[in-house]
Amino acid sequence: MKRKRFVLAAVLLAAVCVFTSCSGLGISGDAGTVLTIMGRKSDLEKSYMTSIFELYEKETGNRLDIISYEDAEFEESAAEQFQKGKVPDLFMHFHNADLNRYHIADNFYYMNDEEWIQDLTDSAKAYCQDADGNILGLPFWENSVSGCYYNKTLLDSLGMKPATTQAEFDVLCQVLKDTGYTPICWPADGCSWMPQFGMDPIFADDPKLLKKLNQNEISYADIPQVKNMVQWIGDAASKGWFGDDYLETGWSDISSVMGSGKAVMTFIWDTWFYTDFEQDGKYSIDDFALMPVFMDTAESGTYEGGNLNMMMVNKNSEQLEEALQFLSFCATPENYNVAFQGISTVNCFKGQNTNIQSDMVTNAKASIDANARVSTAASRIIGYNAEEVSDALNQLFRKKMNVAGCVEKMDDYRISEAKKQGADGF
C-alpha cells in the first residue's frame, strides 16, 4: 500500500559495529528507533553512504547500527547469518547471482507501491526489478556506464577513428597492434567483469533465451553467440591485442597502462576515471572518450548500465514501517542531492542535480541511447559468477583448453552454482 512519507533525515554512528557472533539483531537504544543495516565494509564506507546515514540520524534522532563484513568475507558471512534467522532490518546488495543465496521471496519486501519509484530513472528501475517485475530495493549508488573507453588524443594523432561496428573494431585493433600499441588493456590477473559486457546483449535482447538457460533447458554450449564471444576473446589474445603481459596485469596496473598510452582502450566504467585513475602519466582524463564494447555478440556494440547497490528491507522485521520510511528519506531529492554532491555518476534519480556528469558519457549519449543494455549477465543468469567465467577464460589463454572446452567449463561452473542455490530445474 502507498503511504505518505514525511521528510526525515539521519547520522551514522561514529563507531562501526562489525557483526560476528551476536545472538541476535535486536539493538536497544536510549532514544528513538534503531535500524540495523548489513553490507560490505567498503560499500558502507562510501562517502555518499556515510553522508546519508549521518543526515538521517541528525534529522530524526533515530540510530543506525552498521553490521559490516570485510568484502572477501561478506557473501559467506551474511548468508550464514540469514540461515540462522539473523536478518537485519536493511540489507545492501547488488542485484547479481549471489543475491539468490538470501531467499528473496521469503525475506524481502517488494517495493512495487513505493512513491519514490516514479523518481527513478528507467535504467535504475530496470536494474532493481526481478524477472516478474518486482522492485527489490532502492538503488542508492553510483550509476556508471560501462563501455570501451579509448584514448581519443592518441587515436587522433594516428588519424584513426573510434569504431561503430564489430568489423571496424577488429580492423582498429589490428592496425593499432601493427603500429606498435597494445589495442586493449585486458587485466586478466584478478579482474573479471569484462566478459559480462559481451554477454549482456545475448540475453538482454532475447528474454526467452535467458528463461530457457535459467530453467536448465539449454546451456551456453547451445548458444552460438556465447561460443562466438569466447572465440573472439581467445583470438584477440592470440593476435596480441591484449599485449604481452595481460596475464600479469591486474586492477592496480590499469591506471599506469592507460595513463602512459601503452594501451589505447579498456573495457571499464566512467566512475573509474574519477575514483581510481591516477592522472600522473602522459595522458589525463581529458584525453579519453567512450565507444561501445565489441566482443562479437552485437554488431553495433554494447554498453552496460550501472551495477547498482540496492538497499533492501526485511519484510519480517518488527520495524518494517520504520525501515521503509528510512528508504523514503534516502529517496527524497533534498537528501540524496546532499549525499551525491560532487560525486561522478549518471543519475539514479530524475531529481539528481548535484552530481557530476562525465563528459565522456554525455558526449556519447546518442550511441549509448542506441546500444545500452541493462546489466543482464551478472544479475539475471542463475549461477553466473564473474570470477569463475574469468577462470575459464584464463585457462583458455594458457592453452589448457580450447574454445569448446572453455564454454563447457563456464557451463560446469554455472550449473554447479545454480545447484548450490537450489534453483528450480537444476
Side-chain angles (χ1 to χ4, degrees):
M1 94 184 148
K2 289 191 176 181
R3 56 184 61 74
K4 268 190 173 180
R5 305 287 192 216
F6 52 90
V7 177
L8 302 166
V11 179
L12 179 62
L13 286 170
V16 172
C17 167
V18 178
F19 185 76
T20 53
S21 58
C22 302
S23 59
L25 293 181
I27 306 294
S28 60
D30 294 334
T33 299
V34 180
L35 294 173
T36 52
I37 301 181
M38 181 183 290
R40 291 177 181 83
K41 186 174 185 292
S42 65
D43 293 347
L44 291 162
E45 292 176 350
K46 293 286 188 182
S47 63
Y48 44 86
M49 298 307 302
T50 59
S51 178
I52 200 70
F53 293 163
E54 289 169 0
L55 189 59
Y56 174 75
E57 275 198 343
K58 178 180 179 181
E59 295 294 326
T60 66
N62 294 335
R63 187 160 66 87
L64 299 173
D65 189 78
I66 307 302
I67 304 165
S68 67
Y69 295 103
E70 294 293 341
D71 292 14
E73 302 169 359
F74 171 71
E75 297 295 353
E76 292 297 330
S77 298
E80 181 180 344
Q81 297 306 318
F82 271 66
Q83 290 169 5
K84 294 177 179 179
K86 298 176 180 179
V87 181
D89 299 313
L90 296 138
F91 185 59
M92 286 186 64
H93 203 284
F94 290 90
H95 189 183
N96 57 29
D98 281 319
L99 187 58
N100 292 312
R101 295 170 178 250
Y102 304 97
H103 305 289
I104 298 169
D106 294 334
N107 287 315
F108 297 113
Y109 182 89
Y110 291 149
M111 309 287 181
N112 302 335
D113 296 322
E114 298 304 290
E115 293 180 357
W116 45 257
I117 292 174
Q118 62 188 354
D119 191 34
L120 296 180
T121 62
D122 290 343
S123 61
K125 179 181 177 181
Y127 182 83
C128 295
Q129 289 179 314
D130 66 11
D132 297 318
N134 296 307
I135 302 294
L136 302 180
L138 175 71
F140 198 89
W141 201 245
E142 59 192 46
N143 190 0
S144 58
V145 174
S146 296
C148 180
Y149 288 82
Y150 67 94
N151 189 324
K152 64 181 180 181
T153 302
L154 202 157
L155 279 193
D156 286 346
S157 71
L158 296 172
M160 300 178 187
K161 296 181 179 180
T164 59
T165 67
Q166 182 70 54
E168 290 178 2
F169 186 74
D170 290 349
V171 170
L172 177 62
C173 288
Q174 190 56 52
V175 172
L176 286 170
K177 173 66 170 60
D178 293 343
T179 309
Y181 292 94
T182 296
I184 303 168
C185 174
W186 183 283
D189 184 13
C191 298
S192 58
W193 62 81
M194 299 82 74
Q196 71 194 52
F197 301 159
M199 294 179 73
D200 281 343
I202 303 173
F203 301 101
D205 296 355
D206 192 345
K208 292 182 180 178
L209 189 69
L210 176 63
K211 184 176 181 180
K212 288 182 179 180
L213 185 73
N214 282 341
Q215 291 178 340
N216 204 23
E217 295 174 3
I218 60 173
S219 65
Y220 288 147
D222 300 314
I223 304 173
Q225 286 172 285
V226 174
K227 291 187 284 187
N228 291 346
M229 184 193 78
V230 174
Q231 183 72 61
W232 185 90
I233 293 172
D235 288 347
S238 297
K239 294 174 182 176
W241 292 357
F242 300 160
D244 298 327
D245 57 354
Y246 68 100
L247 289 172
E248 288 76 46
T249 300
W251 172 259
S252 62
D253 303 308
I254 305 172
S255 182
S256 61
V257 171
M258 299 305 296
S260 66
K262 177 181 178 181
V264 181
M265 302 177 283
T266 194
F267 301 151
I268 207 160
W269 47 92
D270 58 307
T271 54
W272 175 84
F273 283 91
Y274 296 89
T275 58
D276 295 275
F277 181 45
E278 298 176 2
Q279 300 192 65
D280 54 2
K282 181 178 181 180
Y283 298 100
S284 71
I285 189 172
D286 294 331
D287 294 302
F288 290 87
L290 173 61
M291 64 174 150
V293 165
F294 294 94
M295 291 192 210
D296 204 20
T297 59
E299 179 56 27
S300 298
T302 187
Y303 302 93
E304 184 185 60
N307 286 282
L308 307 176
N309 216 328
M310 305 180 296
M311 288 194 281
M312 307 170 70
V313 171
N314 174 5
K315 73 176 186 179
N316 304 307
S317 170
E318 294 180 359
Q319 302 185 117
L320 174 62
E321 183 64 26
E322 289 85 351
L324 291 172
Q325 287 178 352
F326 170 71
L327 292 195
S328 290
F329 167 79
C330 294
T332 299
E334 53 263 45
N335 297 331
Y336 61 62
N337 276 319
V338 170
F340 284 97
Q341 175 75 41
I343 300 296
S344 175
T345 173
V346 175
N347 288 14
C348 280
F349 301 98
K350 295 174 183 175
Q352 272 183 275
N353 54 31
T354 59
N355 52 302
I356 299 169
Q357 294 278 0
S358 165
D359 288 341
M360 294 179 289
V361 171
T362 55
N363 291 339
K365 184 178 185 303
S367 178
I368 294 170
D369 289 345
N371 299 297
R373 277 90 173 175
V374 65
S375 178
T376 303
S379 63
R380 301 186 181 180
I381 294 176
I382 294 174
Y384 185 91
N385 181 288
E387 287 72 26
E388 291 175 344
V389 173
S390 178
D391 178 72
L393 286 171
N394 282 0
Q395 292 186 54
L396 173 68
F397 295 150
R398 291 180 168 85
K399 311 299 182 184
K400 294 182 178 180
M401 57 180 61
N402 58 17
V403 168
C406 181
V407 174
E408 182 180 359
K409 191 69 174 177
M410 290 166 56
D411 268 325
D412 290 344
Y413 280 141
R414 176 184 58 85
I415 293 169
S416 176
E417 184 60 33
K419 288 179 178 179
K420 290 178 185 177
Q421 296 174 8
D424 292 340
F426 289 88

